[in-house]
Amino acid sequence: MSEHLDCVIIGAGFSGLAMLAHLREAGLQCVVVDRQDGVGGTWRANRYPGVRTDSDYPIYSFSFSPEVRDEWRWTQRYAPGAEVLAYLEFVTDRLDLRRDMRFGMDLQRAEFRDGTWHLTFADGSIVSCRYLISCMGILDQPIWPNVPGLDTFEGILLHSMQWPSEGVDLRGKRVGLIGLGSSGLQILPAIAPECAEVYVFQRQPNYVVDSTFFPVSDEEMELTRRDYDRIWERAKAHPFGVDMVVPDHGAMDVDDDERRRIFESKWQEGGHHFANETFHDLATDPAASEAASDFIRSKIREIVTDPVTAALLCPTDYSFNGKRVPTGHRYYETYNRPNVHLVDVKSVPIARVTRDSIVIGDSAYPLDVLICATGFDAMTGPLTRIDIVGRHGVTLREKWADGIRTNLGISVHGFPNFFMSIGPQTPYSNLPVPIQLGAQWVTRAIQFADQHGIQLEATPESEEWWAAEVDAAGRKTVMYEEGLKAKAWFFGANVPGKPRELLVYMGGGQKYQELCRAAEADGYRSFRA
Ligand code: N01
């Protein structure tokens, strides 16, 4: 393949679909390329048992297509991964996007020369375009644990993100699980009933908010459809992009009994409800965050029958919001099963993996299967693994070696007509909201550039301004101190050697959208280097 296009969009997940729909409607000739064999992005890659969203279905979908809104039927409040994937397939077909999509296209290099982006793919295909748009998501670079001997394991070795689409038969197997972030803690309850034994190797416990996966009735679906515009407006106005109203009281404004009653009232509703609908300051006041931590620790002790296991599951090194809050489903209850064994690998770290076991101190745990739910090189990883070369011959990897620089997480100085959907330094949020708004913003920016015959590229001043804003906004939250303590991925702290800096904007999605609108109203001056 060798051709010239207006736009090439890299990635066929939520971002790529929204971007293609909007750019095509604006009359641009676009193609989406993806290295996987179909649409779905993260939802095609992550097919591990138990995978599902932690956002309620109305806000984990697009608002822009009346056809999709009216015709798609969600079945569960927190949709399972297969249902989200089916939704994205449905969107693709209903909006006739597939004709402009190419799969199995692994981008190796993109270079800006003579006013054009020149792309080279692993299969030798060459494509050129005027606009290059990254829709690669935030989590496409898996990390394996840095444990000696991992490659000598002769059983089944799996990463949560690379689960075989045909599934894995775990019946009667001895299974080891490393990693208890959102992925690992969804996997555990889903696999425990079928395995002979599960050994959970925990380095750092998490604050897991449990949830109930209510089915969605016909009546509720109809109400959601009817109310959708209002739901979307509320999500747009919320700092975290969810359809919730920020409470007017802080956790310390009420007495202990009332605080506990309020926490309890949201406990069963899941992560975002607990984090956003109890008190307004769980992300900004260390005392409020500690109160939430205390409440969750008390729930752990209430649910987990073995006191030693319960104590190990209680985080003490960082407080609530120090990591992205995960939603579980009977996660803590699973430790009451006789075949589930929690192994502390913080006080005695994993020594090595052998051909058939994990060795910790003097003990060897024999395993048939080892699952690594050990996370991602988040936000920057998808962009720095490819040679994206700007007009000075510098790659994004080189440009960001001493610190990320972008204007609003959308554009980078030295990389003309290159845009990022949910790039580094965009909001910490339920993602479909900034994804859709971002696709609409980029489409208008490209129309503006075409009308004025100009190229768009962040100015150096805008990059310095935005880096300072990102840092200042982060420092006002508990995510800053607690995230560093917890070695959270949003600091890059989970990747050996990666500089510690905030990879996301913590100032709120609504504030961020205001800034994007202001840049647009200003004639994109901060994007006209
Ligand atoms: O990854 P993580 P994830 N030995 O980085 C452990 C999104 N997501 O894939 O805390 C032992 O959170 C590590 O331990 P520690 C969501 O944004 C969403 O689970 O560093 N353990 C940690 O427990 C989420 O935040 C959904 O001590 C090791 C785990 O691996 C993001 O993806 C579902 C280790 C990694 O946790 C990432 O989640 C799934 C070692 N050597 C994911 N190395 C939804 O529900 C690492 N760990 C929408």
Side-chain angles (χ1 to χ4, degrees), residues 43 46 48 51-55 60 138-139 143-147 159-160 178-186 201-206 318 323-325 327 345 350 373-376 486-487 489 494:
W43 295 100
N46 286 274
Y48 59 78
V51 60
R52 59 172 76 231
T53 67
D54 57 7
S55 297
Y60 209 78
I138 64 171
L139 304 165
I143 300 177
W144 290 87
N146 187 11
V147 178
H159 191 284
S160 54
I178 304 178
L180 292 169
S182 301
S183 305
L185 61 88
Q186 286 186 327
F201 301 105
Q202 172 186 274
R203 193 165 62 183
Q204 197 175 207
N206 218 323
Y318 67 97
K323 286 184 171 245
R324 187 182 175 283
V325 178
T327 294
V345 299
I350 299 172
T374 39
F376 302 87
K487 299 194 173 65
W489 63 253
N494 62 327

Side-chain angles (χ1 to χ4, degrees), residues 396-471:
L396 264 186
R397 190 170 45 250
E398 289 161 341
K399 157 115 187 172
W400 288 344
D402 298 326
I404 301 166
R405 287 294 180 275
T406 74
N407 187 8
L408 292 165
I410 299 173
S411 170
V412 183
H413 182 66
F415 297 74
N417 288 354
F418 168 66
F419 299 100
M420 297 172 290
S421 167
I422 51 169
Q425 303 183 329
T426 51
Y428 189 55
S429 171
N430 165 51
L431 291 176
V433 174
I435 283 174
Q436 178 175 318
L437 295 173
Q440 291 163 347
W441 191 98
V442 167
T443 302
R444 291 192 299 275
I446 288 178
Q447 287 176 303
F448 180 92
D450 279 356
Q451 277 158 18
H452 292 79
I454 56 170
Q455 291 179 351
L456 293 180
E457 169 195 337
T459 61
E461 299 75 28
S462 71
E463 291 191 329
E464 294 311 313
W465 161 75
W466 189 235
E469 289 288 316
V470 169
D471 189 64

Side-chain angles (χ1 to χ4, degrees), residues 120-146:
T120 312
F121 293 85
D123 67 357
S125 305
I126 292 174
V127 179
S128 58
C129 55
R130 294 191 298 126
Y131 296 100
L132 177 63
I133 305 168
S134 166
C135 289
M136 290 188 279
I138 64 171
L139 304 165
D140 87 339
Q141 277 297 89
I143 300 177
W144 290 87
N146 187 11

